[in-house]
Amino acid sequence: FLYQQNTMRDAVVAAVTLNIFNKYCRNVRMACIAQMVNVLQSVILTDGDQMLLTPTYHVYHMFRNHQGAQLLDSFTDGSRKSGPDGSKVNDIYESVSLGSDGMINITIANTSPDSSNEIEISFHDLVPDEVSGTVLHDEMHAHNTFEEKDKVTEKNYAGIEREGRTIRIIVPACSVTALRVRG
């Protein structure tokens, strides 16, 4: 009775939450998804012998490189909008870690339903020589169905620009982006 379709909006909320957990990993020792299949915020939906992966599944896949990694200091500057009560809310939520494989893992969630953001990632002591990434994006209500199982899926990110210690990307509206950087 808790069966619920899972949309891009759910995926972005999952990414924001995972970025917050990652940034506060010194205090959050463990966090688990309570529901896995055919319930609220599912990563998998089934119908008889059919199965599909939800947008939230792809977020968990994109965040896998943070597991067991070392948190690195990071911050965003300038990605705030006014809420209905005049308060400021972020559009961009990020976290960064260093994996045991030497790769820097960057995950970015853009909560804006209609605005992309140009992001400039600057490194203090690193000149990136290898950068790759994936992106999950679509309109906020987009979801996978048993007729269209791959409507919302992780895709390779094209358009990464590097210059010196800086990487520039455009983060689409309502999206989750994962980058891997080696210097």
Side-chain angles (χ1 to χ4, degrees), residues 17-160:
T17 304
L18 291 172
N19 275 331
I20 291 169
F21 287 164
N22 197 37
K23 289 192 88 118
Y24 290 93
C25 65
R26 288 175 184 89
N27 299 47
V28 178
R29 304 308 273 172
M30 182 174 75
C32 303
I33 189 166
Q35 296 91 4
M36 295 291 291
V37 180
N38 290 346
V39 288
L40 307 175
Q41 194 68 4
S42 290
V43 294
I44 296 170
L45 295 177
T46 65
D47 184 14
D49 63 350
Q50 295 187 67
M51 180 186 95
L52 66 84
L53 304 176
T54 68
T56 297
Y57 168 89
H58 295 290
V59 169
Y60 274 80
H61 185 258
M62 295 169 83
F63 274 70
R64 73 192 181 283
N65 294 308
H66 286 306
Q67 186 175 1
Q70 177 186 347
L71 178 68
L72 298 178
D73 288 332
S74 63
F75 68 93
T76 59
D77 185 19
S79 61
R80 299 174 68 84
K81 289 191 176 169
S82 293
D85 63 354
S87 62
K88 297 288 187 183
V89 293
N90 289 339
D91 273 351
I92 301 295
Y93 292 83
E94 59 27 80
S95 66
V96 181
S97 66
L98 176 62
S100 60
D101 59 359
M103 298 291 281
I104 294 176
N105 310 298
I106 303 169
T107 49
I108 303 166
N110 184 355
T111 63
S112 174
D114 52 18
S115 297
S116 62
N117 278 281
E118 184 174 340
I119 304 290
E120 185 174 283
I121 303 165
S122 299
F123 295 92
H124 183 264
D125 291 329
L126 175 86
V127 176
D129 60 44
E130 180 184 325
V131 183
S132 62
T134 58
V135 64
L136 180 74
H137 76 95
D138 208 318
E139 62 87 20
M140 171 175 11
H141 301 290
H143 58 277
N144 295 330
T145 65
F146 292 103
E147 295 74 37
E148 198 172 4
K149 293 181 180 181
D150 293 322
K151 177 176 178 14
V152 182
T153 189
E154 186 179 358
K155 295 179 175 65
N156 286 331
Y157 186 98
I160 299 170

Side-chain angles (χ1 to χ4, degrees), residues 145-180:
T145 65
F146 292 103
E147 295 74 37
E148 198 172 4
K149 293 181 180 181
D150 293 322
K151 177 176 178 14
V152 182
T153 189
E154 186 179 358
K155 295 179 175 65
N156 286 331
Y157 186 98
I160 299 170
E161 297 178 15
R162 289 182 295 147
E163 183 180 322
R165 296 181 190 276
T166 302
I167 298 169
R168 285 183 194 81
I169 61 171
I170 304 284
V171 178
C174 192
S175 70
V176 180
T177 304
L179 300 176
R180 303 262 292 152

